[in-house]
Amino acid sequence: MTGITSGFLMTFGSNLLIQVTVVLLAGWALETWANRHGAAWKCLVQRATLASVLAIPLAAVLGHTLMPTTWYVALPEPVWFSDDSGVSAAGWIYIAFSVVWFGGAAVLWARLLGGLLVSERLRRRSVLADDALAARVRALLPECIGTYPEVRLSNEIKSPLLLGIRRPALLLPTDDAAACDEPVLLHELTHLHRRDNAWLLLAQAVRATLWLHPL
């Protein structure tokens, strides 16, 4: 890692953390207000906060490109001496910070991807439900949903589970008839209607990337 690269990573990372902190604090304050106005407002605030965090890196790059005078915290470049002298103290701090951040993010991203693989394995090992049960599920969905999930049975789960985003599947326990009751099905289908799986995946991706942020 060169001095320019490590300096850029530290400057970009520090600004990212500062901007994320501002957004998360604002989101926390708004969520406190939204708690008094119902679950729909709370969900809206949470998703707006997440979308803002996702937009920060792009906004930072565009802002610096279009308006070079955009305010940001400029950290001093580490002083890199000759090969005989080795790396300066500031250089080692920058390297250590980058290694810890990216190392932790790599572990959490591996865990996230592993969870997606487990979910796909559950789908492959399940079997399609009969037509009558599938028809019951479709009858509970609003017409505007557009995408009907596959209804599948699995003996590896103990409670209903909604999997997937592009090809959603509703997994039901093979040996639990209560899992097919209408309130239970409606609960899982509400996740589909609100696209909760997609938002949850985005939230987990942000958390894995910014794992060292205290908020």
Side-chain angles (χ1 to χ4, degrees), residues 3-189:
I4 295 177
T5 302
S6 63
F8 167 78
L9 289 175
M10 284 293 292
T11 298
F12 180 79
S14 298
N15 282 276
L16 179 63
L17 292 178
I18 291 172
Q19 293 157 359
V20 165
T21 300
V22 173
V23 169
L24 291 179
L25 287 174
W28 174 77
L30 285 173
E31 186 173 340
T32 301
W33 167 84
N35 282 333
R36 299 194 296 269
H37 293 77
W41 279 102
K42 180 178 179 180
C43 181
L44 178 62
V45 168
Q46 289 176 339
R47 292 184 176 186
T49 303
L50 175 59
S52 299
V53 170
L54 290 169
I56 284 175
L58 178 60
V61 172
L62 289 177
H64 190 67
T65 301
L66 300 176
M67 296 179 291
T69 57
T70 300
W71 176 86
Y72 66 96
V73 176
L75 296 180
E77 292 286 345
V79 179
W80 294 73
F81 297 100
S82 65
D83 293 338
D84 294 334
S85 301
V87 182
S88 68
W92 281 118
I93 292 174
Y94 286 13
I95 289 175
F97 182 83
S98 301
V99 169
V100 170
W101 186 343
F102 288 110
V107 171
L108 293 175
W109 267 97
R111 180 184 177 187
L112 175 57
L113 295 176
L116 294 176
L117 291 176
V118 170
S119 297
E120 184 59 29
R121 185 178 63 184
L122 278 175
R123 179 204 292 265
R124 290 198 310 267
R125 291 183 177 181
S126 62
V127 297
L128 283 172
D130 58 66
D131 293 340
L133 180 55
R136 281 183 56 199
V137 171
R138 292 191 179 95
L140 296 173
L141 284 167
E143 294 182 0
C144 63
I145 193 66
T147 301
Y148 292 116
E150 283 188 335
V151 182
R152 308 183 69 89
L153 301 176
S154 172
N155 57 12
E156 299 183 61
I157 60 175
K158 297 185 181 299
S159 60
L161 182 64
L162 182 69
L163 298 178
I165 298 172
R166 188 172 58 87
R167 295 185 302 113
L170 176 60
L171 266 62
L172 301 173
T174 304
D175 301 324
D176 188 359
C180 300
D181 291 345
E182 183 171 316
V184 178
L185 295 175
L186 280 173
H187 176 86
E188 295 301 323
L189 294 176

